[in-house]
Amino acid sequence: MLTRFIDKLIQRVAFVIMLCMVMVACSDSDDDAVGTEDVPVAFTLTVADATSTRADNDGWDDYSPAQDGILNENLVNTDDIIIAIYDDKGNKVDNVEDLRVTTVSDPSITGATMYAITGVWRNAKPNVDKAKRVMVIANSNVSAWGDPSLLTYDLNPGTRKYIPMWGVVKIPATLTLGKQNKLPNIQMLRAMAKVSVSLRTDMTTYGYAIGSMTVNNYNTKGYCVPKTFNEVDNTSEVRFANSLNVLDSHADQIALPTTAPLYLPEYDNSGTNPPTTITVNLNRGGKLEGTYTLEFRNYDSDGKPTGPTYPIQRNHYYQYWIYKETGKIIVTLHVRKWNRRIYPENDGIIM
């Protein structure tokens, strides 16, 4: 046990040294290419965690370990990152250009990846005092951006490989012209929700299987940023209660895969819109056993929906479990953490 701990410690120390070397190398090359009125920057990204339960948390500042996720939920397309400088009111000051994204693997965490990023804010001197925040948009197929509140994405369920993400961090008090500036770590928040339905393990033993499922009432488009994007200095300061940012693009029905999750834009279930539900056709022995409707609400010990309807909210994982007991179908809904892997000694995008 002690030997394994020492080996992991050595791996992590080596990884930190390697990451620092990458950042320094990028820094040196950037310094050679910039002028005295430019601001070179360097930073890392982290995918933010979701809530553990809606009852226990009201924001994304609770970063506890969670279950491992599917790789594409954490991937950042290195060719689809836009970074800009903003003032303290959410107005864009300028873009960060000449981006360099370096992928650094962490040998101590299987599948973990860090992205070390450098860029240059050109001709920064006239506006350097206005710079208060750095905002990042990733995986959104946006070529340029001014007002973040206008940035949208399409669902594209059949072709989407990457989850749209947004992040913000407060800029330190002083940016140095002509020299590399190491910015704080930027946490990235997914702009979509994750939904899945599964049978309890023993159900398959009894011959049950999900034949088909559909999600009823959803949006086909979403906003890249939460509603309160311009009110926070860091991504983790966004609260659930007032950040829902719904783009009204209603559609009636979409198939929910039986073996994979579905990723959806935000949807408000508290207003005049018809609420989101899931229709499940349950088979037994290859024949239809029954059709059931799942609601986005808490479920009591008898598997009955109770309380207010949950919105479909970004970076939340809505996981249903179905099982049969005493002749009736029981449903449980868990609003779970959407995973992140922990790398405690260092900042970074952790995959």
Side-chain angles (χ1 to χ4, degrees):
M1 183 70 70
L2 179 60
T3 302
R4 184 182 302 172
F5 172 79
I6 292 174
D7 289 342
K8 287 188 176 182
L9 180 61
I10 292 172
Q11 286 180 325
R12 291 195 171 192
V13 170
F15 175 70
V16 171
I17 294 173
M18 179 172 59
L19 180 62
C20 291
M21 291 174 64
V22 169
M23 299 296 283
V24 169
C26 292
S27 172
D28 290 343
S29 61
D30 285 344
D31 285 349
D32 293 337
V34 302
T36 57
E37 296 191 358
D38 299 334
V39 173
V41 296
F43 57 91
T44 53
L45 300 178
T46 299
V47 175
D49 204 358
T51 178
S52 56
T53 64
R54 289 299 299 262
D56 295 338
N57 300 274
D58 61 1
W60 283 281
D61 51 346
D62 178 13
Y63 295 108
S64 300
Q67 64 179 22
D68 293 344
I70 300 171
L71 182 60
N72 72 314
E73 297 173 354
N74 296 328
L75 283 177
V76 170
N77 183 358
T78 56
D79 295 324
D80 189 8
I81 299 177
I82 297 180
I83 302 169
I85 307 294
Y86 278 77
D87 64 18
D88 57 0
K89 299 186 184 303
N91 301 308
K92 191 177 82 166
V93 177
D94 211 342
N95 293 316
V96 176
E97 303 173 346
D98 302 326
L99 299 179
R100 298 183 184 183
V101 184
T102 304
T103 304
V104 185
S105 297
D106 179 355
S108 67
I109 306 177
T110 303
T113 304
M114 270 187 173
Y115 293 91
I117 300 178
T118 62
V120 181
W121 177 14
R122 298 290 183 186
N123 302 314
K125 186 175 180 179
N127 295 311
V128 71
D129 292 337
K130 298 178 182 179
K132 302 301 179 183
R133 299 169 182 159
V134 173
M135 289 194 191
V136 181
I137 293 285
N139 303 340
S140 298
N141 295 317
V142 178
S143 59
W145 52 304
D147 183 354
S149 67
L150 302 179
L151 298 179
T152 65
Y153 65 88
D154 294 324
L155 174 57
N156 295 332
T159 59
R160 177 168 296 284
K161 180 179 179 181
Y162 302 97
I163 305 295
M165 299 180 185
W166 162 88
V168 64
V169 74
K170 184 177 181 179
I171 293 176
T174 303
L175 290 175
T176 304
L177 294 169
K179 296 293 183 180
Q180 191 74 298
N181 293 261
K182 179 64 172 69
L183 299 179
N185 175 53
I186 299 179
Q187 300 165 349
M188 299 297 286
L189 189 68
R190 300 178 187 90
M192 305 181 83
K194 175 182 176 180
V195 180
S196 70
V197 179
S198 302
L199 294 180
R200 199 171 68 178
T201 306
D202 60 338
M203 289 284 285
T204 58
T205 305
Y206 300 129
Y208 289 95
I210 296 176
S212 64
M213 296 185 293
T214 57
V215 174
N216 312 301
N217 304 311
Y218 69 100
N219 282 324
T220 62
K221 299 176 181 292
Y223 286 110
C224 295
V225 302
K227 182 166 289 185
T228 53
F229 78 96
N230 60 347
E231 300 176 13
V232 297
D233 288 329
N234 294 284
T235 312
S236 60
E237 296 175 5
V238 176
R239 305 289 89 185
F240 302 149
N242 57 357
S243 63
L244 189 70
N245 199 15
V246 176
L247 176 54
D248 188 15
S249 50
H250 179 270
D252 292 331
Q253 198 172 77
I254 186 173
L256 173 58
T258 59
T259 58
L262 178 66
Y263 306 96
L264 293 173
E266 291 184 303
Y267 188 93
D268 187 357
N269 275 318
S270 65
T272 58
N273 290 329
T276 305
T277 60
I278 299 175
T279 300
V280 179
N281 290 318
L282 186 63
N283 293 342
R284 187 176 189 185
K287 297 181 179 180
L288 181 64
E289 185 274 343
T291 299
Y292 303 92
T293 299
L294 310 183
E295 301 181 30
F296 283 80
R297 299 164 64 191
N298 188 33
Y299 279 78
D300 61 22
S301 58
D302 292 326
K304 295 180 180 179
T306 181
T309 305
Y310 292 134
I312 310 301
Q313 190 157 15
R314 67 184 62 220
N315 211 63
H316 281 69
Y317 179 14
Y318 304 84
Q319 184 179 34
Y320 291 87
W321 289 94
I322 301 176
Y323 59 99
K324 196 159 189 176
E325 212 169 70
T326 62
K328 61 181 179 181
I329 290 293
I330 306 295
V331 178
T332 63
L333 169 60
H334 303 279
V335 186
R336 291 182 170 273
K337 295 177 185 299
W338 196 339
N339 80 295
R340 79 183 182 109
R341 296 177 185 261
I342 303 299
Y343 192 83
E345 290 85 13
N346 201 53
D347 294 333
I349 201 166
I350 301 174
M351 300 301 185

